[in-house]
Amino acid sequence: MKYFESLTQNDLANIIKSTKKELFVSMPLFHREIADAILSIHRANEKKIGIHILVDFDAQTFRQGYGEFNSIELLIKEGVEIKTLKDNRISFIIVYDKGYYLFIESRSLIPADKETINAVRADPMSIVRLKQLASFGKGIETVEV
């Protein structure tokens, strides 16, 4: 098991698509590849998989290049609940009992396809804590468009 990893947008999408039980994603925002992966498990699994998405739904975050409004809007229109946490820059992904801390760069700063070491494997106790944060954290609200 590698501790430091290089995860591209495509790798993240594949991790999301591999989930069978629950998904937790926290990022400032995200682009279409991630939205499409989330949408694919939402549609295919008839809501059997718990999907928990946490973003910073703020105009400034969009302007900084972390994601696209259409990606968030698409998921909400399809019935995926998205929560927002103001000024969130904490990024992680958890697929059931496997998780990574992610160090996300804005696409306006780093090309999306550039391979960088940007993920650290999360330990089991941290995974439990991160799941609680994403589900019940202070200041978290549902995104509405």
Side-chain angles (χ1 to χ4, degrees):
M1 172 178 83
K2 292 164 81 176
Y3 189 64
F4 294 116
E5 302 230 7
S6 175
L7 298 177
T8 64
Q9 291 287 308
N10 192 45
D11 294 332
L12 290 174
N14 288 333
I15 289 170
I16 291 167
K17 291 176 188 176
S18 76
T19 190
K20 302 289 185 237
K21 187 171 182 179
E22 61 186 344
L23 171 69
F24 291 81
V25 175
S26 175
M27 296 180 180
L29 286 169
F30 47 80
H31 293 278
R32 187 62 186 254
E33 302 94 333
I34 301 303
D36 287 342
I38 294 167
L39 194 55
S40 73
I41 65 168
H42 173 74
R43 288 177 176 163
N45 293 290
E46 300 168 4
K47 301 187 184 191
K48 293 177 190 172
I49 293 176
I51 299 174
H52 309 274
I53 310 297
L54 182 61
V55 299
D56 177 14
F57 192 72
D58 182 77
Q60 183 63 28
T61 310
F62 286 105
R63 284 193 290 274
Q64 291 171 339
Y66 285 102
E68 303 155 336
F69 178 80
N70 294 343
S71 297
I72 305 297
E73 182 181 43
L74 172 68
L75 291 177
I76 292 171
K77 286 182 176 179
E78 289 280 339
V80 176
E81 185 177 64
I82 299 178
K83 303 280 187 175
T84 183
L85 179 61
K86 184 174 174 30
D87 299 324
N88 179 38
R89 293 300 178 270
I90 305 299
S91 298
F92 60 85
I93 185 169
I94 300 170
V95 175
Y96 185 53
D97 63 350
K98 183 179 181 182
Y100 294 95
Y101 297 102
L102 303 171
F103 299 87
I104 303 293
E105 295 285 350
S106 162
R107 283 193 180 175
S108 62
L109 301 175
I110 304 290
D113 58 353
K114 183 178 185 320
E115 193 170 307
T116 59
I117 297 172
N118 59 356
V120 176
R121 188 76 174 254
D123 64 272
M125 184 56 82
S126 294
I127 289 172
V128 170
R129 289 181 179 145
L130 291 170
K131 287 179 181 180
Q132 289 175 339
L133 166 74
S135 299
F136 310 110
K138 182 179 179 185
I140 295 176
E141 300 174 13
T142 301
V143 173
E144 295 180 20
V145 291

